[in-house]
């Protein structure tokens, strides 16, 4: 069975086969299912983990008791028109009453994805579209290569609209889903990307 690192309609699997793939021993890759197609992501980098840790610490004291700030990998089951979709956001604000033994059932309050050279096209493309289709109201994208964060909100047309963008030491105030001030430089902390081209700008059109 060929595993996909991007979308290709020629290769699709059912839910049972997807679970069998993920159960292979000694496999550190992350597996997601998008409309019946398998997405494979390598283990995250230290920069990625630093950003997720900083965001988790920042958001956790701000959410109400019926929400929970969780970091991936955690299965999020999303309703889509084309097939089974099980994604693993880098970070999410979950509805506590939608948490199950396996993950989160339905769209979370917020999804955050940290871009990498191997995932940025997917995070700003097919995964972003899947989150919008499923009704995830808030989507944040952190780009270490440009030291930036972009805040999207789901509009009445069912598509994400960019609400805020900040780079470097710039600060941006967000009021929903929580009230917080974000600074990309603060999220990166003492860890900086190595061997990455900072001239690349990754944003959704």
């Amino acid at each position: 069975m060929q595993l996909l690192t991007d979308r290709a309609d020629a290769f699709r699997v059912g839910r049972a086969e997807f679970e069998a793939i993920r159960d292979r021993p000694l496999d550190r890759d992350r597996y997601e299912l998008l409309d019946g197609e398998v997405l494979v992501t390598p283990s995250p980098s230290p920069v990625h983990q630093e950003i997720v840790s900083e965001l988790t610490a920042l958001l956790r004291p701000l959410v109400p008791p019926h929400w929970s700030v969780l970091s991936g990998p955690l299965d999020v089951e999303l309703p889509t028109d084309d097939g089974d979709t099980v994604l693993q956001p880098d970070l999410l604000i979950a509805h506590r009453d939608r948490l199950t033994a396996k993950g989160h059932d339905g769209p979370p309050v917020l999804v955050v994805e940290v871009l990498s050279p191997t995932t940025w096209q997917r995070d700003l493309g097919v995964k972003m579209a899947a989150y919008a289709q499923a009704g995830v109201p808030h989507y944040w994208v952190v780009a270490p290569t440009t030291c930036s964060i972009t805040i999207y909100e789901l509009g009445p047309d069912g598509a994400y609209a960019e609400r805020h963008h900040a780079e470097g030491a710039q600060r941006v105030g967000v009021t929903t889903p929580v009230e917080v001030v974000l600074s990309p430089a603060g999220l990166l902390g003492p860890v900086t990307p190595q061997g990455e081209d900072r001239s690349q700008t990754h944003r959704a059109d």
Side-chain angles (χ1 to χ4, degrees):
M1 218 296 292
Q2 179 168 346
L3 301 180
L4 307 181
T5 55
D6 219 327
R7 298 199 70 181
D9 291 337
F11 298 96
R12 304 177 69 86
V13 299
R15 185 59 181 272
E17 187 175 0
F18 171 67
E19 296 296 346
I21 292 169
R22 296 204 300 178
D23 286 342
R24 295 184 306 185
L26 303 178
D27 194 337
R28 298 181 60 190
D29 289 337
R30 293 170 61 172
Y31 293 90
E32 300 171 287
L33 191 63
L34 179 55
D35 294 339
E37 300 169 13
V38 179
L39 306 179
V40 185
T41 305
S43 299
S45 68
V47 173
H48 177 285
Q49 295 298 78
E50 178 81 13
I51 292 169
V52 171
S53 296
E54 290 290 333
L55 263 178
T56 301
L58 183 65
L59 296 177
R60 185 161 282 161
L62 304 178
V63 300
H66 58 283
W67 292 351
S68 179
V69 179
L70 302 171
S71 59
L74 179 77
D75 285 352
V76 175
E77 304 246 7
L78 296 175
T80 61
D81 295 335
D82 300 324
D84 288 336
T85 294
V86 182
L87 299 180
Q88 295 184 339
D90 293 324
L91 184 145
L92 67 147
I93 295 181
H95 298 276
R96 286 190 181 275
D97 61 358
R98 294 186 182 179
L99 292 173
T100 69
K102 294 184 177 180
H104 189 278
D105 184 18
V109 179
L110 165 72
V111 162
V112 182
E113 295 286 8
V114 180
L115 305 186
S116 74
T118 59
T119 67
W120 70 268
Q121 290 180 304
R122 185 189 306 163
D123 291 337
L124 294 175
V126 292
K127 286 183 70 173
M128 187 175 185
Y131 290 135
Q133 181 185 344
V136 177
H138 303 280
Y139 186 52
W140 297 359
V141 174
V142 182
T145 57
T146 55
C147 193
S148 67
I149 185 168
T150 307
I151 309 298
Y152 299 96
E153 291 183 7
L154 195 64
D157 59 351
Y160 284 120
E162 181 179 319
R163 299 302 183 196
H164 305 282
H165 179 78
E167 298 184 8
Q170 293 176 343
R171 295 160 64 87
V172 59
V174 178
T175 57
T176 57
V178 296
E179 190 168 345
V180 64
V181 176
L182 300 168
S183 169
L187 296 179
L188 280 171
V191 181
T192 56
Q194 299 292 325
E196 295 181 1
D197 182 3
R198 281 185 170 271
S199 65
Q200 296 180 13
T201 302
H202 299 153
R203 295 175 69 177
D205 295 328

